[in-house]
Amino acid sequence: MTYDPAAEVVQLCSDLIRLDTTNFGDESGPGERKAAEHVAALLDEVGIDVEVYESEPGRTSLVGRWGGNVGEPVLLHGHLDVVPANAADWTVDPFSGEVKDVDPGGLCVWGRGAVDMKDFDAMLLSTVRARARAGAVPERPLVLCFTADEEAGGAKGAGFLAREHRDLIDDCTVAIGEVGGFSTTVRGRRLYLIEAAEKGMAWVRLTAKGTAGHGSMRQPDNAVTKLANAVARIGAHQWPVRLTPTMEVLLASVAELAGTEATPENAESLVEEFGDASRMLGAVIRNSANPTMLEAGYKVNVVPGEATARIDGRFLPGFEDEFWDTLAALAGPDTTISKDVHMGALETGYDGDVVAAMTSSILAEDPEAIVAPYLMSGGTDAKYWDDLGMKCFGFAPLRLPEDLDFTALFHGVDERVPVDSLEFGARVFDRFLGAL
């Protein structure tokens, strides 16, 4: 039985990028309907039935089942929406799906979603379609899930499925999705990072109240001043290093290459070993709270009675209480904190047969590599699956050129993924399905 799991992956990725699924976080985007129908047709063509589900008109997700009946079902999930792109900033049309050579990166598929996450959608589809055509059905039952709205928190996609259609996925014990399995190079060795944890998300509103009045007079009870002081304290705060079990394993792997041991004291220097990837990893050894928005007043000569700020807070698994206590102390008694969005952190034990399958599938294609877990600074649909009791991992395998600043491409200008990396990912993911 022979088949090529990578045969279609580049074309599938380009085709998905050309379907504009921009999510502006409001009702103004095109939605995911066209992409969902496209994916449903691709699966139907090889005999895999799926159903589409809409939380609102155009906000479309789809779910299907495939595979055998040995063991507990595994959820394979990808989202269909992408963040906005300003075409004027790009080298190519961000929705062209163009295949173009560039240095660094080599021959790449370009476009919004190439990295986040139509690359993984394409890998999954290419592998499943090749296996279905060849009759190479995995023994383990698989739930194939493509969601809407992940880029705005997932409430209209994964959240909707978890709330309203839980029966479709409730028997899954493991979920495999995005932002993991990509390589970075440390001291000449490729190290593949499998996501096993995510920081929690706390988007909060800070409000200060004062006495409104004329801007020309003394106004000691000034809401803007109170807010500015609180925001300055929060923005300048140096959060202490905290190592979760996932990061202890990752940093131990790097420390071994560096000929030392991982400790909280040298954690930052070990993170710097990752080069450009330290942009992401430097954010996951401590809690964080970044002021991002300010709003006050309506005229320059009027002191407003209220001023507000928005804070993007992220907390480590196991350190949420410390986050809230510290934030309250920094905000002080002159401001109040309210939660706009709150999603918990997650951390999955890095063990078991699925971890073994991910590791062996990478090493079969890249025998000299190191495979280790990491904690991601952002959030994914995994938060919803974690709430349903699933073990969650990010595993979209990509062998990347050492000189490609991959983490900068997430939501970035000229987002692109190397063709060789896509094809490598499809081969690895095929081995993974066979090893489950």
Side-chain angles (χ1 to χ4, degrees):
M1 181 191 310
T2 60
Y3 58 89
D4 182 3
E8 298 182 302
V9 68
V10 173
Q11 187 63 54
L12 289 172
C13 188
S14 291
D15 291 345
L16 285 168
I17 289 169
R18 282 193 285 269
L19 295 169
D20 182 357
T21 52
T22 300
N23 187 348
F24 293 99
D26 54 25
E27 307 307 315
S28 62
E32 300 85 4
R33 179 83 192 187
K34 286 185 178 179
E37 290 176 344
H38 176 70
V39 171
L42 289 170
L43 293 173
D44 179 71
E45 186 179 8
V46 293
I48 300 174
D49 294 328
V50 298
E51 295 289 338
V52 297
Y53 301 89
E54 288 196 335
S55 56
E56 296 176 3
R59 308 312 307 271
T60 313
S61 303
L62 65 154
V63 182
R65 288 198 171 232
W66 183 63
N69 55 14
V70 178
E72 296 169 316
V74 173
L75 177 68
L76 305 177
H77 65 99
H79 64 83
L80 298 171
D81 62 322
V82 298
V83 297
N86 182 4
D89 296 334
W90 284 58
T91 304
V92 303
D93 178 350
F95 296 102
S96 68
E98 183 176 343
V99 179
K100 178 180 176 180
D101 207 343
V102 67
D103 184 27
L107 193 64
C108 293
V109 181
W110 292 59
R112 179 57 85 218
V115 168
D116 187 10
M117 65 169 296
K118 290 179 177 178
D119 57 344
F120 177 71
D121 294 338
M123 282 186 250
L124 175 56
L125 288 167
S126 182
T127 301
V128 167
R129 279 167 57 86
R131 278 182 164 268
R133 287 189 176 113
V137 181
E139 293 184 348
R140 195 156 178 172
L142 306 175
V143 176
L144 311 178
C145 180
F146 297 84
T147 61
D149 197 42
E150 191 275 346
E151 295 293 2
K156 298 175 183 178
F160 170 72
L161 293 176
R163 291 190 310 271
E164 305 296 332
H165 298 283
R166 181 169 174 169
D167 58 299
L168 298 172
I169 51 180
D170 204 28
D171 57 343
C172 295
T173 57
V174 176
I176 303 293
E178 63 175 328
V179 201
F182 60 92
S183 73
T184 183
T185 303
V186 176
R187 299 202 173 210
R189 294 284 298 277
R190 269 193 298 273
L191 197 159
Y192 289 84
L193 304 174
I194 295 177
E195 187 206 311
E198 294 181 4
K199 292 179 87 171
M201 184 166 64
W203 291 351
V204 302
R205 189 185 304 260
L206 206 64
T207 303
K209 295 185 181 296
T211 302
H214 201 290
S216 68
M217 302 181 186
R218 292 181 63 241
Q219 299 289 352
D221 187 29
N222 189 309
V224 174
T225 303
K226 293 175 184 176
L227 182 74
N229 288 334
V231 167
R233 288 193 297 269
I234 292 169
H237 181 66
Q238 294 296 310
W239 296 80
V241 170
R242 300 283 187 254
L243 298 183
T244 68
T246 296
M247 290 303 292
E248 286 177 343
V249 173
L250 175 61
L251 294 183
S253 298
V254 177
E256 185 174 351
L257 292 176
T260 185
E261 294 184 0
T263 67
E265 290 70 32
N266 70 357
E268 289 184 286
S269 63
L270 291 174
V271 165
E272 291 303 315
E273 295 276 357
F274 287 93
D276 293 332
S278 64
R279 176 189 295 106
M280 177 186 290
L281 295 171
V284 297
I285 56 174
R286 49 170 55 91
N287 291 334
S288 63
N290 283 313
T292 56
M293 299 174 69
L294 296 169
E295 183 177 1
Y298 57 88
K299 196 170 187 292
V300 68
N301 64 342
V302 178
V303 176
E306 181 175 294
T308 61
R310 308 289 180 86
I311 309 292
D312 184 346
R314 310 283 174 146
F315 51 86
L316 297 167
F319 295 94
E320 181 173 359
D321 289 344
E322 179 183 67
F323 170 83
W324 289 114
D325 290 344
T326 303
L327 189 66
L330 293 170
D334 291 331
T335 61
T336 59
I337 298 172
S338 58
K339 300 176 184 178
D340 287 344
V341 176
H342 176 244
M343 301 182 75
L346 67 91
E347 189 157 29
T348 296
Y350 191 67
D351 54 22
D353 58 341
V354 173
V355 169
M358 289 187 289
T359 302
S360 65
S361 64
I362 288 176
L363 294 180
E365 293 289 332
D366 194 351
E368 300 303 315
I370 300 169
V371 184
Y374 88 106
L375 193 161
M376 197 182 73
S377 59
T380 72
D381 282 341
K383 286 181 168 47
Y384 294 102
W385 316 138
D386 178 69
D387 286 344
L388 298 182
M390 299 182 207
K391 296 183 68 173
C392 297
F393 299 101
F395 184 62
L398 296 169
R399 182 174 58 200
L400 298 167
E402 183 176 352
D403 59 350
L404 180 64
D405 187 359
F406 184 66
T407 59
L409 299 177
F410 283 89
H411 297 188
V413 172
D414 286 345
E415 185 179 350
R416 61 194 183 273
V417 61
V419 165
D420 287 346
S421 302
L422 275 175
E423 293 173 342
F424 171 86
R427 293 194 302 271
V428 170
F429 208 77
D430 176 64
R431 290 181 180 275
F432 170 67
L433 294 184
L436 283 175

